[in-house]
């Protein structure tokens, strides 16, 4: 029987320990092809930067008792997905896994995330996608810190990958977004959540001088439990400390009756 074909990618780069933790966990689930950005691409969303040249480097790594060949793509996370599907894989994968990310991706900022962006790009091909992120301190978001333990997140990555490969995704669910609390163990409960309509990472200015100085924006977590619904991803992760599983779809059409919107917009013409 043919093993499932899995594409593994991320936005932290092909050398990320989170990526390799996922690779080792997924190796028992299916045949894994690894294709990820050559460089750190956090915050790239689903972007397709024209200045990326698409060059692909092979990387060989000995991990978890086997030798892996991975591909580092000079491109964004979404571009890495495209190059892998179009140039590196023998057929469309049965599943695309994006992660494991340094840092949680919750609330209305998820479209900023390269982790989610890669999953969205996979979904646009009609391929089920799984995006996995581990709650970490902001100081680790751009790091490849080996002090971050991805073992529990890897456990849940394999678990939900098996769920999708076994049963598919129902209805208009195209992506499962999974958030792992920093305190989680393999026994931590998980529950299905909705995306919180709340900004989780709030930007702030670091500028102290003139407009010509370098002053990249900073960001901080800013939320309180009374601001977010109890059935949301933020509440589950931050206040209940359970694994949050959020179904996502590429259909961003507002859930409002189209005829009612048309009537609203034409109201002035009806005078």
């Amino acid at each position: 029987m043919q093993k499932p074909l899995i594409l593994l990618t991320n936005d932290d780069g092909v050398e990320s320990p989170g990526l390799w933790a996922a690779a080792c966990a997924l190796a028992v689930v299916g045949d894994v092809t690894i294709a990820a950005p050559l460089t750190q691409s956090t915050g790239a969303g689903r972007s397709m930067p024209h200045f990326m040249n698409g060059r692909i480097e092979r990387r060989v790594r000995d991990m978890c008792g086997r030798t892996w060949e991975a591909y580092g793509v000079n491109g964004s996370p979404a571009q890495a997905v495209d190059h892998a599907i179009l140039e590196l894989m023998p057929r469309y994968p049965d599943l695309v896994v994006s992660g494991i990310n340094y840092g949680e991706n919750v609330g209305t900022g998820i479209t900023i995330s390269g982790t989610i962006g890669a999953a969205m790009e996979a979904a646009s091909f009609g391929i089920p996608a799984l995006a996995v992120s581990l709650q970490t301190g902001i100081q680790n978001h751009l790091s490849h810190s080996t002090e971050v333990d991805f073992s529990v997140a890897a456990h849940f990555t394999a678990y939900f990958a098996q769920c999708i490969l076994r049963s598919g995704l129902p209805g208009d669910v195209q992506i499962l977004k999974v958030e792992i609390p920093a305190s989680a163990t393999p026994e931590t409960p998980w529950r299905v959540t909705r995306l919180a309509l709340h900004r989780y990472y709030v930007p702030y200015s670091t500028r102290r001088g003139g407009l010509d100085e370098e002053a990249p924006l900073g960001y901080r977590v800013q939320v309180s439990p009374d601001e977010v619904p109890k059935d949301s991803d933020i509440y589950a992760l931050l206040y209940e400390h359970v694994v949050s599983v959020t179904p996502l779809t590429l259909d961003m059409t507002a859930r409002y009756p189209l005829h009612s919107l048309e009537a609203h917009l034409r109201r002035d013409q009806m005078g």
Side-chain angles (χ1 to χ4, degrees):
M1 182 177 178
Q2 190 178 38
K3 293 181 70 175
L5 184 59
I6 300 171
L7 170 60
L8 174 62
T9 191
N10 74 350
D11 72 351
D12 289 318
V14 71
E15 300 294 345
S16 171
L19 179 83
W20 289 101
C24 291
L26 292 169
V28 300
V29 178
D31 289 327
V32 182
T33 297
I34 301 173
L38 270 171
T39 57
Q40 173 62 257
S41 298
T42 289
R46 195 186 165 190
S47 63
M48 296 279 178
H50 66 86
F51 51 83
M52 297 301 220
N53 63 26
R55 181 173 54 86
I56 299 175
E57 293 184 7
R58 285 182 169 85
R59 301 287 178 93
V60 177
R61 294 287 181 271
D62 291 322
M63 299 288 293
C64 49
R66 59 169 285 184
T67 299
W68 296 82
E69 184 176 69
Y71 299 93
V73 180
N74 189 305
S76 68
Q79 288 171 323
V81 169
D82 284 2
H83 282 287
I85 292 173
L86 299 174
E87 299 170 345
L88 299 174
M89 306 189 78
R91 58 181 174 86
Y92 275 21
D94 300 296
L95 174 67
V96 173
V97 178
S98 184
I100 303 164
N101 189 62
Y102 280 86
E104 58 271 37
N105 283 303
V106 291
T108 57
I110 64 166
T111 53
I112 298 169
S113 163
T115 303
I116 306 299
M120 293 173 70
E121 186 63 18
S124 75
F125 282 89
I127 302 167
L130 172 65
V132 185
S133 302
L134 174 65
Q135 182 186 30
T136 68
I138 288 176
Q139 72 276 8
N140 287 319
H141 286 185
L142 299 179
S143 78
H144 283 171
S145 171
T146 56
E147 295 181 1
V148 176
D149 183 358
F150 286 98
S151 59
V152 173
H155 163 80
F156 283 104
T157 300
Y159 174 82
F160 287 108
Q162 288 175 317
C163 290
I164 296 171
L165 289 168
R166 182 175 60 247
S167 304
L169 291 174
D172 69 344
V173 179
Q174 296 166 301
I175 301 162
L176 279 190
K177 183 180 74 71
V178 178
E179 309 294 326
I180 316 296
S183 60
T185 72
E187 290 73 41
T188 295
W190 60 268
R191 68 177 179 86
V192 174
T193 59
R194 67 175 60 252
L195 189 72
L197 196 61
H198 189 282
R199 189 158 197 168
Y200 183 76
Y201 297 117
V202 177
Y204 62 89
S205 175
T206 65
R207 192 174 306 280
R208 296 296 178 266
L211 296 179
D212 59 342
E213 75 171 7
E214 294 185 4
L217 291 172
Y219 60 94
R220 60 174 68 91
V221 173
Q222 188 171 309
V223 65
S224 62
D226 58 339
E227 293 177 319
V228 289
K230 292 185 178 181
D231 63 351
S232 70
D233 55 352
I234 293 177
Y235 198 93
L237 180 79
L238 203 58
Y239 302 114
E240 294 185 323
H241 308 292
V242 299
V243 175
S244 165
V245 182
T246 308
L248 302 178
T249 177
L250 292 180
D251 184 358
M252 295 186 182
T253 309
R255 293 184 296 275
Y256 188 83
L258 300 185
H259 66 279
S260 298
L261 175 61
E262 183 170 352
H264 174 82
L265 296 173
R266 293 185 183 277
R267 188 169 299 165
D268 290 343
Q269 300 175 6
M270 299 169 61

